[in-house]
Amino acid sequence: MSSVKLAKKVVVTRQIYAKGLDLLRSKVDEVIVYDEDKGMPEEEMKEAVKGAHGIICMLSDKIHKGIIEAAGDNLQCISTYSAGFDHIDLEECKKRGIVVGNTPKVLTNATADLTVSLVLDTARLIPRAIHAAKSGEWGTWKPMWLCGSELAGKTCGIVGMGSIGYAVARRLHAFDVENILYFGRSQKLEAEEKIGAKKVAFEELLENSDIIVVTCALTPETKHLFNAEAFKKMKPNAILVNTARGGCVDQDALVEALQTGEIQAAGLDVTTPEPLPTDHPLFQLDNCIITPHIGSASVECRTVMSVLAVENALAGMTGSTMPAQVNF
């Protein structure tokens, strides 16, 4: 692009890393950034986006028909600072010819790292051990105290062998898990050839996996995929880790499964709703670990995301194909 700034208006609904914002401000005439460290209230967003040509939003923003209508006819693109885009009204965008971009793949390593952390934390009872050390429970050495499970020799099931699922599988493979099963729409030859992954039916994955990792997209087919019926088919020593979307798991059924010992433990980076109320039953269980949706929360990842989100917006406002454009 030339050094002349675009006579455009872009609204960024949250502070993002400077590398992305600096790029945006160097290319666009008017940039509005919501400076408070909380989600942009809907009414303020409706006011801010009036006349905007581009919106850079967060996963937590609901970009529904009302927001899009408030922006008006100038709106050319919506760029979300996330891999997921189910918070954007794609039908309304399609009607109005608005292009949508996201930030996929750049968060693969960060999310895979966090996913494996949750697997290890649940398997080795890390939060309980930390609490014991801090609370004074730590006394003389006990042969059977805080004994968790090793990963070596276990069977791991991946639900959704996309880029994140495959990255998780590769990491777990390095821990000497014995089998890697996966369930998804398509066969993943690279995963099969390089780490010996095996594509199986969902029921087979449930029945045979010691560790189940959920990294699939949230769709009508995957909503509450993990329900009471699914938990009944899982091993009693099974660990469930979800870094996909909260809606993939029926949380009421999960509470019941954890309370009754139907499954051993769960590690969740995503919930429904977000944030999860502090009085939710899942927080009362010592065999459930919950982190506040920090899958992509590394400095490296969030910086790259900021640049890609801006590049998507710039492309969308100049009629070019976005580097990461959502097809719908």
Side-chain angles (χ1 to χ4, degrees), residues 219-276:
T219 66
E221 292 74 32
T222 61
K223 182 176 174 60
H224 286 185
L225 182 64
F226 286 86
N227 52 25
E229 182 180 349
F231 293 128
K232 284 180 171 60
K233 294 177 180 177
M234 290 168 63
K235 292 183 175 183
N237 69 321
I239 292 170
L240 176 73
V241 170
N242 183 16
T243 54
R245 287 291 180 269
C248 295
V249 176
D250 180 339
Q251 289 176 176
D252 291 337
L254 177 60
V255 169
E256 180 73 14
L258 291 169
Q259 287 177 333
T260 60
E262 219 162 38
I263 67 171
Q264 179 177 308
L268 311 174
D269 187 48
V270 289
T271 61
T272 302
E274 292 184 0
L276 192 67

Side-chain angles (χ1 to χ4, degrees), residues 132-133 136-146:
E137 186 184 346
W138 184 8
T140 58
W141 185 82
K142 305 171 189 176
M144 293 182 288
W145 185 51
L146 291 174

Side-chain angles (χ1 to χ4, degrees), residues 310-325:
V310 167
E311 289 176 341
N312 280 338
L314 293 173
M317 291 186 298
T318 56
S320 303
T321 301
M322 291 176 165
Q325 188 162 313

Side-chain angles (χ1 to χ4, degrees), residues 55-57 76-85 87-88 90 93 98-104 308-313 316 321-328:
I55 298 173
I56 296 177
C57 65
Q76 297 172 278
C77 66
I78 298 170
S79 175
T80 182
Y81 189 80
S82 63
F85 46 83
H87 55 297
I88 300 172
L90 296 181
C93 290
I98 298 166
V99 292
V100 176
N102 63 338
T103 57
L308 180 54
V310 167
E311 289 176 341
N312 280 338
T321 301
M322 291 176 165
Q325 188 162 313
V326 176
N327 296 315
F328 59 95

Side-chain angles (χ1 to χ4, degrees), residues 77-129:
C77 66
I78 298 170
S79 175
T80 182
Y81 189 80
S82 63
F85 46 83
D86 51 297
H87 55 297
I88 300 172
D89 187 338
L90 296 181
E91 285 301 313
E92 189 63 23
C93 290
K94 188 173 184 178
K95 289 178 187 175
R96 294 170 176 264
I98 298 166
V99 292
V100 176
N102 63 338
T103 57
K105 298 184 180 178
V106 297
L107 44 70
T108 296
N109 285 330
T111 305
D113 288 351
L114 189 277
T115 303
V116 174
S117 296
L118 287 173
V119 171
L120 291 167
D121 285 349
T122 51
R124 293 301 305 272
L125 314 180
I126 299 301
R128 290 162 64 181

Side-chain angles (χ1 to χ4, degrees), residues 42 51 104 125 183 224 280:
E42 182 172 319
L125 314 180
F183 168 73
H224 286 185
H280 194 280

Side-chain angles (χ1 to χ4, degrees), residues 2 11 23 100 105 121 135 138 156 203 232 244:
S2 69
V11 174
L23 174 62
V100 176
K105 298 184 180 178
D121 285 349
S135 66
W138 184 8
C156 176
E203 289 72 18
K232 284 180 171 60

